[in-house]
């Protein structure tokens, strides 16, 4: 279980502006930008600016203000793109079994087409 935050992860570098991104939303607590390898017509990543490894870490340690800002941004980004009408998906991969590649908490917003079953394979 990844629990110690790695300051060299790619999203930490994006937050330090060492790696470029094209922000689609930013406030005091949150940054959002397009996924570099989009899996749907809309594929946005929303990340907190704080050093949180996972959704568990974020839910346990983030302030009320950070949590509110984060989910308000997710809702705003989805609504701005008209996704609630047609439907869309939010994903937070966590750890090894979740297939988390970047150990900085993030939510994927995916939409713009029918996304198919929730998982590629069933148990
Ligand atoms: P996850 O598997 O949930 O950790 O997803 C990490 C996501 O980050 C993947 O969908 C990658 O395509 C995406 N990603 C990796 N590097 C970058 C980058 N420099 N800019 C934008 N997205 C990235």
């Amino acid at each position: 279980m990844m629990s110690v935050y790695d300051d060299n992860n790619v999203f930490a570098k994006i937050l330090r502006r060492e790696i470029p991104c094209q922000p689609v939303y930013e406030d005091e607590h949150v940054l959002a930008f397009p996924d570099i390898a989009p899996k749907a017509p809309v594929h946005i990543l929303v990340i907190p600016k704080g050093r949180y490894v996972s959704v568990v870490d974020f839910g346990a340690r983030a302030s009320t203000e950070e949590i509110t800002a984060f989910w308000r941004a997710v809702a705003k980004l989805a609504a701005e793109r008209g996704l609630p009408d047609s439907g869309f998906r939010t994903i937070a991969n966590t750890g090894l079994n979740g297939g988390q590649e970047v150990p900085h908490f993030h939510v994927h917003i995916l939409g713009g087409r029918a996304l198919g079953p929730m998982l590629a394979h069933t148990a």
Side-chain angles (χ1 to χ4, degrees):
M1 164 77 185
M2 295 171 290
S3 51
V4 178
Y5 186 82
D6 171 12
D7 281 302
N8 286 319
N9 80 75
V10 63
F11 294 167
K13 291 179 180 175
I14 284 176
L15 285 168
R16 293 196 298 266
R17 301 303 201 257
E18 293 168 12
I19 292 177
C21 73
Q22 283 74 48
V24 294
Y25 179 80
E26 181 165 16
D27 66 25
E28 183 186 352
H29 298 298
V30 184
L31 180 66
F33 48 88
D35 195 292
I36 204 169
K39 302 231 173 4
V42 177
H43 189 171
I44 295 168
L45 299 171
V46 187
I47 72 174
K49 290 188 172 177
R51 299 164 75 253
Y52 301 105
V53 175
S54 70
V55 67
V56 177
D57 193 20
F58 186 67
R61 294 198 302 111
S63 67
T64 303
E65 289 75 16
E66 289 174 294
I67 292 171
T68 301
F70 185 84
W71 290 108
R72 290 255 196 275
V74 171
K76 178 182 166 68
L77 285 158
E80 278 174 357
R81 285 154 184 78
L83 298 180
D85 283 345
S86 49
F88 66 106
R89 190 171 287 162
T90 52
I91 298 175
N93 295 317
T94 305
L96 194 59
N97 280 0
Q100 184 177 4
E101 293 170 12
V102 180
H104 180 113
F105 171 52
H106 53 282
V107 161
H108 298 253
I109 299 175
L110 293 151
R113 66 168 172 82
L115 296 168
M118 186 168 65
L119 297 175
H121 305 286
T122 55

